[in-house]
Amino acid sequence: VLNSQQREAATDEIISLLTKYPFFNGIDIDWEYISPPNQSYGLEGNVSRAEDPENFVSFLALLRQKLNSNSNPKFKNYKIT
Protein backbone atom coordinates (compact mmCIF):
# COMPACT_ATOMS: atom_id res chain seq x y z
CA VAL A 1 0.00 0.00 0.00
CA LEU A 2 2.92 2.25 -0.80
CA ASN A 3 0.92 4.60 -3.03
CA SER A 4 -2.67 5.41 -3.93
CA GLN A 5 -2.67 3.07 -6.95
CA GLN A 6 -1.59 0.14 -4.79
CA ARG A 7 -4.17 1.01 -2.14
CA GLU A 8 -6.90 1.17 -4.80
CA ALA A 9 -5.85 -2.18 -6.26
CA ALA A 10 -5.60 -3.90 -2.87
CA THR A 11 -8.96 -2.63 -1.62
CA ASP A 12 -10.65 -3.48 -4.92
CA GLU A 13 -9.28 -7.02 -4.65
CA ILE A 14 -10.57 -7.35 -1.08
CA ILE A 15 -14.05 -6.21 -2.14
CA SER A 16 -13.92 -8.64 -5.07
CA LEU A 17 -13.02 -11.55 -2.78
CA LEU A 18 -15.74 -10.65 -0.29
CA THR A 19 -18.25 -10.55 -3.13
CA LYS A 20 -17.08 -13.84 -4.61
CA TYR A 21 -16.97 -15.63 -1.25
CA PRO A 22 -19.93 -14.35 0.79
CA PHE A 23 -19.26 -16.62 3.76
CA PHE A 24 -16.72 -14.11 5.13
CA ASN A 25 -18.04 -11.76 7.80
CA GLY A 26 -15.12 -9.41 8.28
CA ILE A 27 -11.55 -8.62 7.42
CA ASP A 28 -8.49 -9.35 9.55
CA ILE A 29 -5.46 -7.27 8.62
CA ASP A 30 -2.27 -8.40 10.31
CA TRP A 31 0.47 -5.79 10.02
CA GLU A 32 3.43 -7.18 11.88
CA TYR A 33 6.97 -6.11 12.37
CA ILE A 34 6.48 -2.38 12.38
CA SER A 35 10.07 -1.31 12.04
CA PRO A 36 11.98 1.94 12.04
CA PRO A 37 12.90 3.22 8.56
CA ASN A 38 15.62 1.20 6.86
CA GLN A 39 15.44 -1.52 9.50
CA SER A 40 13.32 -4.65 9.41
CA TYR A 41 12.17 -6.73 12.34
CA GLY A 42 10.40 -9.07 9.93
CA LEU A 43 11.60 -11.33 7.19
CA GLU A 44 14.92 -10.64 5.58
CA GLY A 45 14.35 -8.46 2.56
CA ASN A 46 11.30 -6.65 3.96
CA VAL A 47 11.52 -2.93 3.39
CA SER A 48 10.24 -0.37 5.88
CA ARG A 49 9.74 3.29 5.16
CA ALA A 50 9.00 6.32 7.31
CA GLU A 51 5.67 6.76 5.52
CA ASP A 52 4.50 3.18 6.19
CA PRO A 53 2.28 4.02 9.19
CA GLU A 54 0.55 6.86 7.32
CA ASN A 55 0.09 4.70 4.21
CA PHE A 56 -1.35 1.88 6.31
CA VAL A 57 -3.90 4.22 7.90
CA SER A 58 -4.80 5.54 4.43
CA PHE A 59 -5.28 1.96 3.23
CA LEU A 60 -7.60 1.12 6.14
CA ALA A 61 -9.60 4.32 5.65
CA LEU A 62 -10.05 3.58 1.94
CA LEU A 63 -11.12 0.02 2.68
CA ARG A 64 -13.69 1.24 5.22
CA GLN A 65 -14.98 3.80 2.71
CA LYS A 66 -15.36 1.16 0.00
CA LEU A 67 -17.12 -1.24 2.36
CA ASN A 68 -19.54 1.47 3.47
CA SER A 69 -20.34 2.63 -0.06
CA ASN A 70 -20.72 -0.83 -1.56
CA SER A 71 -24.16 -1.85 -2.82
CA ASN A 72 -24.04 -4.94 -0.59
CA PRO A 73 -25.52 -3.73 2.73
CA LYS A 74 -23.78 -6.59 4.56
CA PHE A 75 -20.41 -4.94 3.91
CA LYS A 76 -21.28 -1.94 6.09
CA ASN A 77 -21.35 -4.23 9.11
CA TYR A 78 -18.00 -5.85 8.40
CA LYS A 79 -15.38 -5.19 11.01
CA ILE A 80 -11.78 -4.58 10.06
CA THR A 81 -9.60 -6.12 12.73
Side-chain angles (χ1 to χ4, degrees):
V1 294
L2 180 59
N3 58 51
S4 61
Q5 293 84 11
Q6 290 178 347
R7 289 190 288 276
E8 285 288 337
T11 54
D12 286 346
E13 185 63 25
I14 290 170
I15 297 295
S16 177
L17 287 169
L18 293 174
T19 302
K20 185 174 181 178
Y21 302 104
F23 50 81
F24 288 110
N25 62 4
I27 302 154
D28 182 30
I29 306 288
D30 192 11
W31 185 34
E32 294 185 23
Y33 307 112
I34 302 168
S35 307
N38 303 317
Q39 182 176 351
S40 177
Y41 296 143
L43 295 175
E44 185 176 330
N46 283 0
V47 177
S48 61
R49 297 174 181 86
E51 63 271 25
D52 285 350
E54 182 179 335
N55 288 337
F56 185 66
V57 170
S58 295
F59 164 72
L60 293 176
L62 180 61
L63 180 57
R64 178 80 272 157
Q65 175 189 358
K66 287 186 177 190
L67 288 170
N68 289 347
S69 65
N70 191 279
S71 61
N72 185 338
K74 179 180 170 185
F75 288 179
K76 291 180 179 133
N77 296 321
Y78 280 8
K79 291 184 180 180
I80 303 172
T81 59

